[in-house]
Amino acid sequence: MENIIEVEGLNKKFPPDIHALSELTLQVKKGITFGLLGPNGSGKTTLIRILVGILKPDSGKVAIIDDSLSWSEKAAKIGYMTQTHALYQDLTLAENLDFFAAIYGLSAREKRKRIEELISLVKLEGKEKSPVATLSGGMRQRVSLAASLIHEPQLLFLDEPTVGIDPSLRREFWAYFGSLNRQGVSIVLSTHVMDEAARCDELALLRNGKLLAQGKIEELLAQTRSKNLEEAFLSLEENG
Amino acid sequence: MSIRRIFAVAKRIIRQFIHDRRTVALIVIVPLLVLSILGALLKTTPSYEVGFVNQDEGVTTPLSTQKISSAIEESLKDTENLKWHKINLEKAKSDLEDGTLDAYVLLGKSFSKDISERKSPLVIVKLEGSDPNASQQVLGLVNQNLLSSFSDQKLVDLKVDYLYGGEKFTSLDYFAPVFIAFFAFFFVIMLTSVSFLRERSQGTFERLFASPVNNAEIVGGYFLGFSIFALIQSLIVLLYTIYVLDVHFLGSLWFVFLIELILVVGAVNLGIFLSAFARNELQVVQFLPVIIVPQALISGFIFPIKSMPVILQWLSYAMPLTYANNALRDIMIKGKDLASVSFDIYILIAFAFLMILLAAFSIRKGI
């Protein structure tokens, strides 16, 4: 399929009466960076958790990667960077990466190669033997990204990936996301920061679990006759 | 120093407690639970079952055959803590072996003859012997009940024999096997539940559940990881008790490890199950007194099960440590093989399966 994700009429409620997602329908094309933009509580993380298979929707259809694959085969092609660092604090950086590499079935040689590449990518050379608990928040965020990339996934979910990292590294992350897209990797990332969302190829604007709009940034700006994303979001919110 | 600030801190703590209703409930429930169990246990006086085997052939006079032992047999009366069972030697031996009897008293064939000839008659007290405290109490009660029926007590030569253990057996010999089970059970539950809770709270489970790993692989990995440490711990405790504390050990080390492994499977999965009901490490630790203290009190660890009130006996039979303690004592003190403790092993396996089911249903709770 041309789309790597197709979601139709997705609903998810949490007790007592929170509508996290309401009749959500969207598509994500292969090989692009797709942004989920919305304030806290808009349903971004719930949608990602449904797409990675952690949560089950109450109703609706989800088609992801290739429907002929089993769930574990799909999971092997998915990378997921959670909003929390999701690392073992008492293990070292290298031990954390080694563990996640083993979970995805990498051989000893592949593990060594990937750990070396990723430590270099996230610029943490020399910190391999440092326990994660001793690293700063920004460093942990980088280790978390490395852990989600360890098995070279085809589809990468990043939940607020650049929170807590400095602007220069953020720029490098975005450059790296671009290079991943060129290699055919699709990225779905959530953000509530407008200038980050502006870097995505396509966006879905979410509010209270509902999709306000989906499309390329220029399409969204044209549709709302806005100068920037913030105005577009506010306009869609008022009319939605 | 500001009283107002002290009150502010105190008020905040009280409010936090009120919000954490489970902690408030446990603060009240745990002491009451422990006191109720202890009260019931300490109020109960242990009762012992003793067989009376009379092989006396009597003494034959020209007029009749007279059995002096008959008078003694008739004078035996059950008391609150000693019950007599008049049986033959074969039954006495088998009852002592399967734990129905705590001891038996044997009057020899020439009992009447020896007394009539002013010789010391043969009286053997055979004790089960695995619990030195119980042995002493039984011996004291038998002496008190039996010897009072002899007109000349100095004449009686009481020979004490033991099925297991012996005079050199101390309470430590009796407690060592259960310590091995208790330490493994306690630490594995505590470590698994805290580790699992950390996986939930630190988000690593979220990452794991988005990967190809499945529930069985996670539980299997936890079991393997923790059982290695539990077995190392058991080996250290065992070697320390045998070589440093000089505890008697008759059984096979492999049998001890097997029982331990089965117990650890149950403990790992119980830890996983418990972690699903806690939001933080404090709440996990609060579960431990509820799970561990009753088991320590009524699993035969300190107090013999058959001396407990009936309701506590039923409760003890619902607890896995009861079967682990029983099996380990049988192996370590009595030198029994696996076939002899097969019932305990089956129950421990059933407990492990039940815990695996509960863990499987709760593993993704709260993710």
Side-chain angles (χ1 to χ4, degrees), chain B residues 91-197:
Chain B
K91 171 105 172 95
K93 279 181 174 173
S94 72
D95 283 0
L96 194 65
E97 193 134 341
D98 67 23
T100 315
L101 288 182
D102 297 292
Y104 66 79
V105 175
L106 172 71
L107 304 189
K109 286 179 184 173
S110 58
F111 184 83
S112 295
K113 191 165 167 266
D114 290 341
I115 286 188
S116 64
E117 290 171 6
R118 304 289 299 166
K119 285 198 277 182
S120 290
L122 177 69
V123 179
I124 295 171
V125 179
K126 181 115 178 178
L127 297 157
E128 196 268 350
S130 61
D131 180 355
N133 277 339
S135 296
Q136 278 194 347
Q137 286 185 32
V138 173
L139 200 58
L141 288 166
V142 167
N143 264 321
Q144 196 184 327
N145 281 260
L146 191 71
L147 295 184
S148 60
S149 36
F150 284 91
S151 51
D152 187 356
Q153 293 182 11
K154 282 180 194 162
L155 196 64
V156 181
D157 179 22
L158 210 62
K159 189 174 169 249
V160 180
D161 195 9
Y162 297 85
L163 178 62
Y164 306 113
E167 279 171 10
K168 287 181 181 168
F169 245 53
T170 63
S171 294
L172 190 60
D173 291 294
Y174 182 65
F175 287 124
V178 295
F179 276 128
I180 290 169
F182 182 77
F183 283 138
F185 194 68
F186 175 76
F187 281 112
V188 169
I189 290 178
M190 187 173 73
L191 294 176
T192 319
S193 50
V194 171
S195 300
F196 246 70
L197 192 85

Side-chain angles (χ1 to χ4, degrees), chain A residues 49 54 75-76 80 82 84-89 99-100 103-104 144 147-148, chain B residues 198-199 201-213 222 364 366-367:
Chain A
R49 296 177 97 206
I54 292 171
Y80 177 34
T82 58
T84 54
H85 301 127
L87 298 165
Y88 296 95
Q89 304 291 317
F99 169 69
F100 288 111
I103 288 293
Y104 284 97
S144 179
S148 64
Chain B
R198 280 190 190 159
E199 295 249 31
S201 59
Q202 292 178 356
T204 43
F205 257 177
E206 185 145 342
R207 201 190 279 277
L208 279 183
F209 287 135
S211 79
V213 79
Y222 262 78
R364 285 179 188 248
I367 304 291

